[in-house]
Amino acid sequence: MFVDLPLAELRNYLPDVDEPPDFDEYWTREVDDARSRDVEAQFRSAKTAIRHAEVFDVTFAGHGGDPIKAWLLIPHQVEAEGTIIVEFVGYGGGRGDPLDWLVWSSAGYPHLIMDTRGQGGGWRSADTTDLGDGGQPSSPGFLTRGIGDPRSYYFTRLFIDTVRAVDAARRHPDLAGLRVVTTGMSQGGGLALAAAHLAEGVVATLPDVPFLAYPRRAAEITASLPYGELAQYCRVHHDEIEQVFRTISYIDVVNHAKRTAVPALFSVGLLDDITPASTVFAAFNHYAGPKQIAVYPFSGHEGGGTTHMQKKLDFLAAALRS
C-alpha cells in the first residue's frame, strides 16, 4: 500500500517547484500562434440512443491546426446559468462513445468531451491522430515523447488542444458567448487546470486527482505508471535528466495553478500511487484562486467516485450563483 505524507503535512505542503524564466512568454507565444488560425469547429449531428440531449460529432483545429475530435451533448433542457462543461480524458483513454458521458448533460449542462490525440489504446477508444509527433526516442507511453525540447513535447500539443477545445465549444451557435467550466480526472484533471489558466472564458475548474503536478517528486516517490515512464527514460538517458525536467516544468500544472484565479474544486485520494497526494496538494496549495479540496483518506486513484460527482454538482451550482 502506497502512503504519502500525513494529511496535516499535506495541508501545508508548499514546495519550491522549478519554473522556467520564460514560462509566461512561452505559453503566450504558443497560445497566440494557435489562435492565429481559425478553430474551424464543425458540428455534425450524431445518431445515438440518447434522448435527453442532442449529440454532435465535433472536429476542431488543435495545436498546429491538427484536426481534433470531440463529442458535444446539448441537453434539451439547459440549466439556467448557461454554462458549458469542457471535459478532458484520463491517460490512455479517448472520447469513447457518447453513452460514456451522460452525467453533466443529465444535470442540464452542455458538455464537450475532447478526444486525446494519439491515445485511446488503453481503456477507452479515441479517434484523433497525433500528427505533430516527430518520432524522437522515448520510453513507452506519452510522457517522454519529444521531451528534449518544450516546443516538440507531446504535452505542449495537448495543452494547446485544450485551449482550442474551449474555443470550439463556444462556436456552436446555441452556446456562443457562454461561460466555460473545465473538468477531468487524472490526466484530464491536469488538462483542466492548464485550460483554466490558458483558455478564455473559463469561470471555474474541477480537477480530480490531477496528473502532471510536480512530476519530479512523483517520479522520485512512485514507480507506478505513467510517472514511471520518466524514471525509465532517465535510467537510459543519464545525460538528459536536467533537460527532461526543464521541459516538463513548462507543463507542471503547479506553475499553471499559481496563475489561475477562478474558483476550483480539487479531489485527492491519500492512498493514490499514480498521482501521489503530495503532488496534488502542491498544485492545490499553490492555486491562486478561491479553492476547496475533497480528501478521500482510504481512496486511491479512483478518488471519490459518485460521492465526489455530487460534490462537483453542488460546488458548481454555488459557484455560478455567486
Side-chain angles (χ1 to χ4, degrees), residues 55-242:
V55 181
F56 296 92
D57 185 350
V58 182
T59 307
F60 65 91
H63 181 274
D66 296 345
I68 309 297
K69 300 294 291 182
W71 296 120
L72 174 63
L73 286 74
I74 302 181
H76 299 310
Q77 292 183 299
V78 176
E79 58 87 33
E81 301 298 336
T83 302
I84 312 163
I85 306 298
V86 176
E87 184 157 1
F88 308 106
V89 183
Y91 195 84
R95 67 172 182 163
D97 188 277
L99 288 169
D100 296 324
W101 308 99
L102 301 182
V103 174
W104 284 111
S105 57
S106 294
Y109 293 95
H111 183 199
L112 184 136
I113 307 96
M114 187 188 85
D115 206 15
T116 310
R117 60 167 66 222
Q119 297 189 33
W123 54 279
R124 182 183 282 141
S125 64
D127 301 292
T128 301
T129 301
D130 183 16
L131 297 177
D133 185 7
Q136 298 95 329
S138 64
S139 57
F142 298 89
L143 197 51
T144 63
R145 289 193 179 182
I147 203 165
D149 189 303
R151 293 168 297 180
S152 63
Y153 191 33
Y154 172 81
F155 279 96
T156 289
R157 298 194 291 281
L158 199 53
F159 275 30
I160 293 300
D161 290 347
T162 72
V163 174
R164 301 306 267 162
V166 171
D167 294 341
R170 301 170 82 206
R171 285 293 184 92
H172 189 281
D174 293 342
L175 308 181
L178 295 189
R179 301 171 298 179
V180 171
V181 172
T182 61
T183 193
M185 183 173 182
S186 189
Q187 175 182 260
L191 296 177
L193 282 167
H197 169 222
L198 298 173
E200 294 178 351
V202 177
V203 298
T205 186
L206 310 169
D208 294 340
V209 295
F211 181 52
L212 301 172
Y214 203 180
R216 183 152 200 161
R217 173 171 171 80
E220 290 170 348
I221 66 172
T222 180
S224 296
L225 298 174
Y227 285 122
E229 295 173 21
L230 286 174
Q232 183 180 32
Y233 186 87
C234 290
R235 279 196 298 271
V236 175
H237 298 273
H238 306 110
D239 57 339
E240 297 181 26
I241 292 173
E242 290 311 310

Side-chain angles (χ1 to χ4, degrees), residues 22 24-34 151 250:
D22 65 339
D24 293 311
E25 292 83 355
Y26 176 77
W27 283 111
T28 296
R29 186 169 59 249
E30 288 289 330
V31 171
D32 286 350
D33 180 67
R151 293 168 297 180
Y250 290 89

Side-chain angles (χ1 to χ4, degrees), residues 122 181 297 310 313 321:
V181 172
Q310 185 61 58
L313 289 164
R321 284 196 302 268

Side-chain angles (χ1 to χ4, degrees), residues 3-19:
V3 179
D4 204 338
L5 300 174
L7 182 57
E9 291 185 32
L10 290 169
R11 292 200 183 279
N12 298 297
Y13 185 64
L14 205 66
D16 184 14
V17 173
D18 289 342
E19 180 183 304

